[in-house]
Amino acid sequence: MMPMDPIDFDNTPVSPRRPSYEYVLEQDLEEPKVTIITPFYNTGSIFHETAISVFKQSFQEWEWIIVNDGSQDPESLSILDEYRKIDARVKIIDLPSNCGLSAARNVGIKNAKTEFIINLDSDDMLEPTAIEKYFWFLVSYPQFAFVEGYNFGFGAQKYLWQGGFHEREKFLLENRVTPNAMFRRSVALNVGGFDEGNRDGLEDWDFWLKCASKGYWGDTIPEYLSWYRRREKHQDRWKNWDGAERQLHFAKLLREWYPGLWRQGLPKVFRHPAQPYHDVCEQLPAKNVLKASKNRLLIITAWLEMGGADKFNLDILRELTSRYDYEVTIVTTVPGNHSWYYEFAKYTPDIFILDHFLHLSDYPRFIRYLIQSRQIQTVLIANSELAYHLLPYLRSHFPDVSFIDCLHMEQEDWKGGGYPRLSIISQSQLNLTIVTSEYLRQWMINRGAGASKIRVCYTSIDPDDWNPERFNKNEIRQQIGVSQSDIVILYAGRLVEQKQPILAAKVFLRLKQLGVPFIGLIAGDGPLFNTLKSFLGRHHINEVKLLGPVSNKRMRELLAISDIFFLPSQHEGISLAIYEAMAMGVTVVGADVSGQKELVTPECGILVPRGPSELENYVQALNFLIYNAEERQAMARQARERVMKYFRLDQMVEQMIKLFNEDAQSSSAPNSIDVSLAREIAIRALEFTRLEWAWPRFGNRGNSLADIASMYSFRTLVNVLVWKILNKITSFVVWKVSKGQES
């Protein structure tokens, strides 16, 4: 999960450019759930940054023990005095003299009131959701003793660090984590805490290996959650950390102290998969009820990846948080690369990718916890299958919360209709359904949905943001290697069967064979990327450039230099990418499916019906537009004018908020079902999800074949393998039949 834009290492958790929510407890803290321990020795004013990152944590049920390790600097002592009275949760313990990091940490551990402890050095920072994710990880995975995320290195050295506990055996060579991890107090006490005899550094490396020698180990949350301040040289303060002789000597000592680790390896502790019909725990490990000073919305979606549905969610998020009085929390329910995580993080710090830190069995209670913690008023389900299955469970706990879903397209070849079908069967538990085309509304009504609970709200675009006049087209073309006279055809979307990227490549091949002049750009990523790359290479289609996933900013630039936008989808709602293309004054060639003609009229572009002749029809449409510049340009002007008049983003968001409010004022809220029955439905929902995810779970980070064999029973491995083989055979047969029909 890497940022797509270059990293701005000045945009730290305390930067005013960050989206910031008011994470404040509704009532005074009764009992802390997490202890933060910070050794402090003459730190100076940079400590304020550490403190701000603590007070900005989304999890507020903490106590903070600051151990003053004999500071003498007047400025530092004055700063400490400020924090003695700033918050009742902050406790400062003064040591009579400088005893070193290990001793200071041990004093904090001894005085902690909670089982969960997080180290935080006095010049480092945490991302806003770090403590909350660490806490829930250790609750959800009791087999692990400690946890940390990835790190931003900042200060004298700037870098991204993905080292962590998941690398196990690498710890025999070097320390792979910062000290800023969360661990269990009981484990620290059992191993005797940190070695107070070591005042020269790398005491945390020793601590992790000491825990390992007692059978304890941890894991890594694959998100950048900590900011570790780097010095130009660390050995001026920590002699053991010189990257040379002293460090090698310390590593030798560790091998002498814990020889069993070098003989037998580090403890093999895994994130075990959910068991069949795993129970759903009802007990919440924390309340963390935060003040609701603004409207609170929870979006439950599948993932945060490049695509029209995610772009719709991103636009909604941006408008609600920037122009309206909303704080938005986002939950994702499906594993993925979440390449747009940082696009969403520009507008909310409150993002939770569940598989990063939770066992599947804890998804229901964590979502319950979030709704209670944030005092959510409205839950918006946006293409999450699991969210539909959990609806009765959530409704039984929150009868007064409004549950709304938003739908973009039907999908006849997936689960009998896709998300709209799930919406129809869940209608008794939903307050309202929002669809993005009249076509889809009628599709649902024809299949039994109640018309009174379905509203149309067209996907829209900000034509000021998506404006071709904002871009230097000549400069962008030069960057990409496209001449000013080239006709550019842009294909953009997830590289999946639905978007038919291979068909697009075949169209490009036919244009090449016909001698039609063009340059093709393909922006996107997905499971068909390598297949597409292979096809283009095999047929020497050098006119087409594969760009991979691109940011929103880059997509605007690509559209600014494009003459034609080409998207030959199998099915769509109304493609958001086409809204964007039309707003940027680009002529559209797309599929005549679902509600696309509600947006793309003949004056704006060409829609091609599905069928055996669609490839040649796409070739003819593109060929016509390439050789008829005047008509192509007239269509482009009409496309932008149509968006400006009927499909503005501000109009869409105003309508969405109106629908939220209309539902909130309605007296006909759905009835919740019995709690025990709702819980059983949740258990069955997780069992369904477990079976669907069975195979991908074998691919966890860092697991060797031997590790996998130790985690799963032989029968489970055989059953899943057979299931996958049968699926592959079925897919192959279907493909062969379809190819036979095409020929």
Side-chain angles (χ1 to χ4, degrees), residues 460-477:
S460 297
I461 200 78
D462 183 350
D464 298 325
D465 196 20
W466 296 81
N467 185 344
E469 301 302 321
R470 296 176 52 208
F471 300 90
N472 186 327
K473 300 179 183 180
N474 294 340
E475 185 178 298
I476 298 169
R477 282 191 169 225

PDB file of all heavy atoms in Angstrom, residues 460-477:
ATOM      1  N   SER A 460     -21.729  12.421 -10.639  1.00  0.00           N
ATOM      2  CA  SER A 460     -21.433  13.708 -11.272  1.00  0.00           C
ATOM      3  C   SER A 460     -19.957  14.042 -11.110  1.00  0.00           C
ATOM      4  O   SER A 460     -19.191  13.274 -10.546  1.00  0.00           O
ATOM      5  CB  SER A 460     -22.322  14.805 -10.683  1.00  0.00           C
ATOM      6  OG  SER A 460     -23.686  14.537 -10.969  1.00  0.00           O
ATOM      7  N   ILE A 461     -19.591  15.213 -11.580  1.00  0.00           N
ATOM      8  CA  ILE A 461     -18.175  15.585 -11.671  1.00  0.00           C
ATOM      9  C   ILE A 461     -18.050  17.073 -11.393  1.00  0.00           C
ATOM     10  O   ILE A 461     -19.006  17.833 -11.572  1.00  0.00           O
ATOM     11  CB  ILE A 461     -17.630  15.221 -13.074  1.00  0.00           C
ATOM     12  CG1 ILE A 461     -16.123  15.129 -13.073  1.00  0.00           C
ATOM     13  CG2 ILE A 461     -18.132  16.185 -14.119  1.00  0.00           C
ATOM     14  CD1 ILE A 461     -15.608  13.845 -12.490  1.00  0.00           C
ATOM     15  N   ASP A 462     -16.893  17.491 -10.923  1.00  0.00           N
ATOM     16  CA  ASP A 462     -16.629  18.918 -10.720  1.00  0.00           C
ATOM     17  C   ASP A 462     -15.977  19.463 -11.991  1.00  0.00           C
ATOM     18  O   ASP A 462     -14.784  19.236 -12.223  1.00  0.00           O
ATOM     19  CB  ASP A 462     -15.703  19.114  -9.514  1.00  0.00           C
ATOM     20  CG  ASP A 462     -15.459  20.586  -9.207  1.00  0.00           C
ATOM     21  OD1 ASP A 462     -15.847  21.438 -10.024  1.00  0.00           O
ATOM     22  OD2 ASP A 462     -14.872  20.874  -8.147  1.00  0.00           O
ATOM     23  N   PRO A 463     -16.728  20.162 -12.841  1.00  0.00           N
ATOM     24  CA  PRO A 463     -16.171  20.623 -14.120  1.00  0.00           C
ATOM     25  C   PRO A 463     -15.125  21.716 -13.957  1.00  0.00           C
ATOM     26  O   PRO A 463     -14.391  22.016 -14.902  1.00  0.00           O
ATOM     27  CB  PRO A 463     -17.406  21.131 -14.883  1.00  0.00           C
ATOM     28  CG  PRO A 463     -18.384  21.482 -13.815  1.00  0.00           C
ATOM     29  CD  PRO A 463     -18.142  20.546 -12.681  1.00  0.00           C
ATOM     30  N   ASP A 464     -15.058  22.331 -12.764  1.00  0.00           N
ATOM     31  CA  ASP A 464     -13.988  23.306 -12.520  1.00  0.00           C
ATOM     32  C   ASP A 464     -12.676  22.583 -12.238  1.00  0.00           C
ATOM     33  O   ASP A 464     -11.598  23.033 -12.624  1.00  0.00           O
ATOM     34  CB  ASP A 464     -14.355  24.211 -11.344  1.00  0.00           C
ATOM     35  CG  ASP A 464     -15.617  25.019 -11.621  1.00  0.00           C
ATOM     36  OD1 ASP A 464     -15.810  25.413 -12.790  1.00  0.00           O
ATOM     37  OD2 ASP A 464     -16.399  25.246 -10.687  1.00  0.00           O
ATOM     38  N   ASP A 465     -12.793  21.467 -11.544  1.00  0.00           N
ATOM     39  CA  ASP A 465     -11.624  20.648 -11.237  1.00  0.00           C
ATOM     40  C   ASP A 465     -11.170  19.887 -12.481  1.00  0.00           C
ATOM     41  O   ASP A 465      -9.979  19.779 -12.759  1.00  0.00           O
ATOM     42  CB  ASP A 465     -11.984  19.668 -10.113  1.00  0.00           C
ATOM     43  CG  ASP A 465     -10.766  19.066  -9.461  1.00  0.00           C
ATOM     44  OD1 ASP A 465      -9.679  19.656  -9.585  1.00  0.00           O
ATOM     45  OD2 ASP A 465     -10.901  18.008  -8.819  1.00  0.00           O
ATOM     46  N   TRP A 466     -12.148  19.335 -13.207  1.00  0.00           N
ATOM     47  CA  TRP A 466     -11.864  18.605 -14.445  1.00  0.00           C
ATOM     48  C   TRP A 466     -12.070  19.555 -15.623  1.00  0.00           C
ATOM     49  O   TRP A 466     -13.066  19.502 -16.333  1.00  0.00           O
ATOM     50  CB  TRP A 466     -12.754  17.376 -14.557  1.00  0.00           C
ATOM     51  CG  TRP A 466     -12.490  16.369 -13.474  1.00  0.00           C
ATOM     52  CD1 TRP A 466     -12.956  16.398 -12.196  1.00  0.00           C
ATOM     53  CD2 TRP A 466     -11.661  15.216 -13.570  1.00  0.00           C
ATOM     54  NE1 TRP A 466     -12.470  15.325 -11.487  1.00  0.00           N
ATOM     55  CE2 TRP A 466     -11.679  14.571 -12.311  1.00  0.00           C
ATOM     56  CE3 TRP A 466     -10.916  14.637 -14.598  1.00  0.00           C
ATOM     57  CZ2 TRP A 466     -10.968  13.396 -12.054  1.00  0.00           C
ATOM     58  CZ3 TRP A 466     -10.213  13.465 -14.345  1.00  0.00           C
ATOM     59  CH2 TRP A 466     -10.236  12.862 -13.088  1.00  0.00           C
ATOM     60  N   ASN A 467     -11.100  20.421 -15.803  1.00  0.00           N
ATOM     61  CA  ASN A 467     -11.189  21.469 -16.820  1.00  0.00           C
ATOM     62  C   ASN A 467      -9.922  21.426 -17.673  1.00  0.00           C
ATOM     63  O   ASN A 467      -8.813  21.614 -17.155  1.00  0.00           O
ATOM     64  CB  ASN A 467     -11.318  22.836 -16.142  1.00  0.00           C
ATOM     65  CG  ASN A 467     -11.534  23.962 -17.150  1.00  0.00           C
ATOM     66  OD1 ASN A 467     -11.302  23.795 -18.347  1.00  0.00           O
ATOM     67  ND2 ASN A 467     -11.960  25.108 -16.663  1.00  0.00           N
ATOM     68  N   PRO A 468     -10.031  21.177 -18.962  1.00  0.00           N
ATOM     69  CA  PRO A 468      -8.830  21.044 -19.815  1.00  0.00           C
ATOM     70  C   PRO A 468      -7.999  22.313 -19.880  1.00  0.00           C
ATOM     71  O   PRO A 468      -6.794  22.251 -20.172  1.00  0.00           O
ATOM     72  CB  PRO A 468      -9.409  20.679 -21.184  1.00  0.00           C
ATOM     73  CG  PRO A 468     -10.822  21.168 -21.161  1.00  0.00           C
ATOM     74  CD  PRO A 468     -11.278  21.018 -19.739  1.00  0.00           C
ATOM     75  N   GLU A 469      -8.622  23.462 -19.605  1.00  0.00           N
ATOM     76  CA  GLU A 469      -7.896  24.725 -19.703  1.00  0.00           C
ATOM     77  C   GLU A 469      -6.839  24.876 -18.613  1.00  0.00           C
ATOM     78  O   GLU A 469      -5.967  25.748 -18.707  1.00  0.00           O
ATOM     79  CB  GLU A 469      -8.875  25.903 -19.639  1.00  0.00           C
ATOM     80  CG  GLU A 469      -9.929  25.907 -20.742  1.00  0.00           C
ATOM     81  CD  GLU A 469      -9.263  25.925 -22.128  1.00  0.00           C
ATOM     82  OE1 GLU A 469      -8.242  26.628 -22.291  1.00  0.00           O
ATOM     83  OE2 GLU A 469      -9.766  25.230 -23.030  1.00  0.00           O
ATOM     84  N   ARG A 470      -6.896  24.030 -17.592  1.00  0.00           N
ATOM     85  CA  ARG A 470      -5.956  24.135 -16.475  1.00  0.00           C
ATOM     86  C   ARG A 470      -4.603  23.496 -16.790  1.00  0.00           C
ATOM     87  O   ARG A 470      -3.672  23.596 -15.992  1.00  0.00           O
ATOM     88  CB  ARG A 470      -6.539  23.466 -15.226  1.00  0.00           C
ATOM     89  CG  ARG A 470      -7.798  24.105 -14.676  1.00  0.00           C
ATOM     90  CD  ARG A 470      -8.343  23.294 -13.508  1.00  0.00           C
ATOM     91  NE  ARG A 470      -7.292  23.059 -12.510  1.00  0.00           N
ATOM     92  CZ  ARG A 470      -7.248  22.018 -11.694  1.00  0.00           C
ATOM     93  NH1 ARG A 470      -8.182  21.098 -11.771  1.00  0.00           N
ATOM     94  NH2 ARG A 470      -6.278  21.878 -10.814  1.00  0.00           N
ATOM     95  N   PHE A 471      -4.476  22.835 -17.924  1.00  0.00           N
ATOM     96  CA  PHE A 471      -3.297  22.016 -18.173  1.00  0.00           C
ATOM     97  C   PHE A 471      -2.528  22.479 -19.413  1.00  0.00           C
ATOM     98  O   PHE A 471      -3.126  22.931 -20.389  1.00  0.00           O
ATOM     99  CB  PHE A 471      -3.704  20.550 -18.341  1.00  0.00           C
ATOM    100  CG  PHE A 471      -4.402  19.987 -17.130  1.00  0.00           C
ATOM    101  CD1 PHE A 471      -5.787  20.058 -17.013  1.00  0.00           C
ATOM    102  CD2 PHE A 471      -3.675  19.425 -16.100  1.00  0.00           C
ATOM    103  CE1 PHE A 471      -6.431  19.554 -15.901  1.00  0.00           C
ATOM    104  CE2 PHE A 471      -4.312  18.922 -14.976  1.00  0.00           C
ATOM    105  CZ  PHE A 471      -5.690  18.986 -14.872  1.00  0.00           C
ATOM    106  N   ASN A 472      -1.227  22.338 -19.315  1.00  0.00           N
ATOM    107  CA  ASN A 472      -0.342  22.628 -20.446  1.00  0.00           C
ATOM    108  C   ASN A 472      -0.215  21.354 -21.273  1.00  0.00           C
ATOM    109  O   ASN A 472       0.611  20.474 -20.990  1.00  0.00           O
ATOM    110  CB  ASN A 472       1.034  23.088 -19.940  1.00  0.00           C
ATOM    111  CG  ASN A 472       1.937  23.535 -21.076  1.00  0.00           C
ATOM    112  OD1 ASN A 472       1.884  23.021 -22.190  1.00  0.00           O
ATOM    113  ND2 ASN A 472       2.799  24.508 -20.795  1.00  0.00           N
ATOM    114  N   LYS A 473      -1.025  21.240 -22.308  1.00  0.00           N
ATOM    115  CA  LYS A 473      -1.110  19.993 -23.076  1.00  0.00           C
ATOM    116  C   LYS A 473       0.197  19.674 -23.796  1.00  0.00           C
ATOM    117  O   LYS A 473       0.612  18.514 -23.856  1.00  0.00           O
ATOM    118  CB  LYS A 473      -2.264  20.084 -24.077  1.00  0.00           C
ATOM    119  CG  LYS A 473      -3.619  20.310 -23.416  1.00  0.00           C
ATOM    120  CD  LYS A 473      -4.730  20.428 -24.439  1.00  0.00           C
ATOM    121  CE  LYS A 473      -6.056  20.738 -23.762  1.00  0.00           C
ATOM    122  NZ  LYS A 473      -7.171  20.849 -24.727  1.00  0.00           N
ATOM    123  N   ASN A 474       0.845  20.697 -24.333  1.00  0.00           N
ATOM    124  CA  ASN A 474       2.095  20.465 -25.051  1.00  0.00           C
ATOM    125  C   ASN A 474       3.164  19.888 -24.124  1.00  0.00           C
ATOM    126  O   ASN A 474       3.896  18.964 -24.489  1.00  0.00           O
ATOM    127  CB  ASN A 474       2.599  21.767 -25.678  1.00  0.00           C
ATOM    128  CG  ASN A 474       1.675  22.268 -26.776  1.00  0.00           C
ATOM    129  OD1 ASN A 474       0.882  21.495 -27.320  1.00  0.00           O
ATOM    130  ND2 ASN A 474       1.769  23.553 -27.098  1.00  0.00           N
ATOM    131  N   GLU A 475       3.234  20.424 -22.928  1.00  0.00           N
ATOM    132  CA  GLU A 475       4.241  19.965 -21.959  1.00  0.00           C
ATOM    133  C   GLU A 475       3.981  18.522 -21.532  1.00  0.00           C
ATOM    134  O   GLU A 475       4.907  17.709 -21.427  1.00  0.00           O
ATOM    135  CB  GLU A 475       4.228  20.900 -20.744  1.00  0.00           C
ATOM    136  CG  GLU A 475       5.313  20.607 -19.731  1.00  0.00           C
ATOM    137  CD  GLU A 475       5.279  21.599 -18.587  1.00  0.00           C
ATOM    138  OE1 GLU A 475       5.467  22.823 -18.843  1.00  0.00           O
ATOM    139  OE2 GLU A 475       5.061  21.174 -17.434  1.00  0.00           O
ATOM    140  N   ILE A 476       2.705  18.188 -21.291  1.00  0.00           N
ATOM    141  CA  ILE A 476       2.362  16.834 -20.854  1.00  0.00           C
ATOM    142  C   ILE A 476       2.648  15.830 -21.971  1.00  0.00           C
ATOM    143  O   ILE A 476       3.184  14.750 -21.729  1.00  0.00           O
ATOM    144  CB  ILE A 476       0.884  16.761 -20.417  1.00  0.00           C
ATOM    145  CG1 ILE A 476       0.640  17.693 -19.228  1.00  0.00           C
ATOM    146  CG2 ILE A 476       0.502  15.331 -20.036  1.00  0.00           C
ATOM    147  CD1 ILE A 476      -0.826  17.897 -18.891  1.00  0.00           C
ATOM    148  N   ARG A 477       2.303  16.194 -23.195  1.00  0.00           N
ATOM    149  CA  ARG A 477       2.572  15.291 -24.331  1.00  0.00           C
ATOM    150  C   ARG A 477       4.074  15.044 -24.476  1.00  0.00           C
ATOM    151  O   ARG A 477       4.505  13.925 -24.758  1.00  0.00           O
ATOM    152  CB  ARG A 477       2.002  15.877 -25.625  1.00  0.00           C
ATOM    153  CG  ARG A 477       0.499  15.703 -25.752  1.00  0.00           C
ATOM    154  CD  ARG A 477      -0.007  16.031 -27.136  1.00  0.00           C
ATOM    155  NE  ARG A 477      -1.396  15.624 -27.305  1.00  0.00           N
ATOM    156  CZ  ARG A 477      -1.874  14.993 -28.372  1.00  0.00           C
ATOM    157  NH1 ARG A 477      -1.056  14.669 -29.363  1.00  0.00           N
ATOM    158  NH2 ARG A 477      -3.148  14.669 -28.457  1.00  0.00           N
TER     159      ARG A 477
END
